[in-house]
Amino acid sequence: MSSAGNIYNVSSDLSLQGFDLSPEKAFVAFVFAALNYIIILFCNSFLLFTVITNKGLHGPMYILLLNLSINDLIGSTCLFPHMMRELLFDTKTIPFSICITQAFFIHVYALSAVFILTAMAYDRYVAICQPMRYTTIMSKLHLTKIISLVWLSNLTLIAILFILLLRLPRCRSYLTHLYCDNPSLLQLVCADMTINNLYGLLITALCQVLTVGLILYTYLRILIACFHNKSSDTRSKALQTCGTHLVVFILFECLGLFTIISYRIKNISPHLRKFIAVGAMILPPTMNPIIYGLRTKEIRVKGIKFFQRKVFTS
């Protein structure tokens, strides 16, 4: 292969697998996708504005929720406009440069979600298991360090992942996926991918061990603390809060891991792969602001008061 053939043609278009729906079904799917995107935008924006505009909500838990909403908006905006355009106009091509950008931010979203949920589990652990030291441990300085670590480590790991990808020659242009991500882009490569595969497996395994291990430890300690607490009301609220958080985390983990594993299973149903891949990008951004934010009384009450004040005084 000539040296010119070893260079990525960033202006060329890639072909995506698409949904393969009839025009009528595609339009119905477009309407549902548009409504889902509007719900995600509204709920996450509601949570963002509520936290930002109320000084009483500038505590660690709410700041972490704010970061989770920002991350959900990043993830959904990477997927929904492209998906709705494909459904409406039956376009199954995407410029390589846009594909790389989409893939980068999808991976940033996925890794940030795991890191932020882990930070939230740590925050709940300190609040429930060490309430007297909460303000000292979760100080503004410590919280700033946690959030900085979440985003900087995430961006660094994903940047290295894509630097390793972009150094490789590409000889194919058909993606066997609904959207762009690192595994599907690696299928276009015609070169030794050992370093890429090892690095991808390394950061996946390392992040999973650290985050899942920390979350299981914190929730186990929370569970023990709850059973030792004599107040049934306090115990009930703590278990309810942590239970819903744990369900969301497990759902996100299962969808994400299945999406990764599906690339390595040759005989898996393409329809099941599409459903899981889209579900992993749609369900968390839809559920997170409702379960973590709108179900929280302080956010719900202050958010409604804020919008009422804006509507009736304008």
Side-chain angles (χ1 to χ4, degrees), residues 61 117-129 214-227 233-251 291-292 295-296:
M61 182 180 71
L117 290 173
T118 305
M120 290 172 66
Y122 173 71
D123 173 75
R124 291 299 84 202
Y125 158 72
V126 176
I128 294 171
C129 298
L214 185 57
I215 284 178
L216 289 178
Y217 172 77
T218 54
Y219 281 121
L220 180 62
R221 291 294 302 271
I222 288 170
L223 191 64
I224 294 171
C226 286
F227 280 111
D233 185 53
T234 303
R235 184 167 61 242
S236 174
K237 287 181 179 178
L239 288 173
Q240 183 180 6
T241 301
C242 295
T244 54
H245 290 196
L246 200 56
V247 167
V248 173
F249 180 78
I250 291 171
L251 175 64
I291 290 179
Y292 289 110
R295 288 185 73 245
T296 304

Side-chain angles (χ1 to χ4, degrees), residues 62-115:
Y62 302 111
I63 297 299
L64 290 172
L65 278 173
L66 183 143
N67 279 267
L68 186 65
S69 284
I70 291 172
N71 190 55
D72 285 340
L73 289 172
I74 290 172
S76 56
T77 301
C78 285
L79 176 69
F80 274 96
H82 165 75
M83 184 171 68
M84 290 188 294
R85 175 177 169 269
E86 179 188 325
L87 288 168
L88 192 61
F89 300 107
D90 194 27
T91 55
K92 296 180 181 179
T93 59
I94 184 171
F96 180 75
S97 57
I98 295 178
C99 185
I100 286 291
T101 303
Q102 182 189 53
F104 178 83
F105 283 106
I106 280 176
H107 281 271
V108 166
Y109 155 75
L111 197 55
S112 288
V114 175
F115 285 172

Side-chain angles (χ1 to χ4, degrees), residues 42 45-55 57 298-314:
F42 174 78
S45 298
F46 177 87
L47 196 152
L48 279 173
F49 282 113
T50 302
V51 172
I52 290 171
T53 56
N54 287 274
K55 291 184 179 180
L57 297 179
E298 291 84 354
I299 291 178
R300 188 171 64 252
V301 171
K302 291 189 178 183
I304 292 172
K305 285 182 179 179
F306 172 78
F307 279 99
Q308 285 177 340
R309 188 166 62 249
K310 288 293 181 181
V311 170
F312 292 114
T313 59
S314 60

Side-chain angles (χ1 to χ4, degrees), residues 183-252:
S184 61
L185 285 166
L186 281 176
Q187 293 177 352
L188 309 180
V189 169
C190 299
D192 183 15
M193 299 180 292
T194 303
I195 295 176
N196 297 68
N197 288 329
L198 286 175
Y199 180 75
L201 289 172
L202 177 65
I203 62 172
T204 301
L206 185 63
C207 292
Q208 288 298 311
V209 169
L210 288 175
T211 57
V212 173
L214 185 57
I215 284 178
L216 289 178
Y217 172 77
T218 54
Y219 281 121
L220 180 62
R221 291 294 302 271
I222 288 170
L223 191 64
I224 294 171
C226 286
F227 280 111
H228 283 138
N229 195 307
K230 294 180 180 180
S231 171
S232 59
D233 185 53
T234 303
R235 184 167 61 242
S236 174
K237 287 181 179 178
L239 288 173
Q240 183 180 6
T241 301
C242 295
T244 54
H245 290 196
L246 200 56
V247 167
V248 173
F249 180 78
I250 291 171
L251 175 64
F252 181 83

Side-chain angles (χ1 to χ4, degrees), residues 8-41:
Y8 278 89
N9 180 6
V10 295
S11 63
S12 62
D13 289 346
L14 301 179
S15 299
L16 292 165
Q17 191 176 58
F19 291 94
D20 296 324
L21 299 174
S22 64
E24 294 79 13
K25 290 181 180 179
F27 181 74
V28 173
F30 167 81
V31 171
F32 276 104
L35 289 173
N36 199 166
Y37 189 41
I38 290 170
I39 290 170
I40 290 173
L41 290 177

Side-chain angles (χ1 to χ4, degrees), residues 152-210:
L152 289 175
S153 60
N154 176 20
L155 290 170
T156 301
L157 290 172
I158 301 304
I160 295 172
L161 183 72
F162 280 85
I163 289 170
L164 291 173
L165 170 67
L166 289 170
R167 70 188 174 88
L168 298 173
R170 172 170 57 88
C171 62
R172 304 182 187 93
S173 60
Y174 181 70
L175 292 170
T176 58
H177 205 46
L178 295 171
Y179 52 80
C180 301
D181 58 4
N182 181 64
S184 61
L185 285 166
L186 281 176
Q187 293 177 352
L188 309 180
V189 169
C190 299
D192 183 15
M193 299 180 292
T194 303
I195 295 176
N196 297 68
N197 288 329
L198 286 175
Y199 180 75
L201 289 172
L202 177 65
I203 62 172
T204 301
L206 185 63
C207 292
Q208 288 298 311
V209 169
L210 288 175

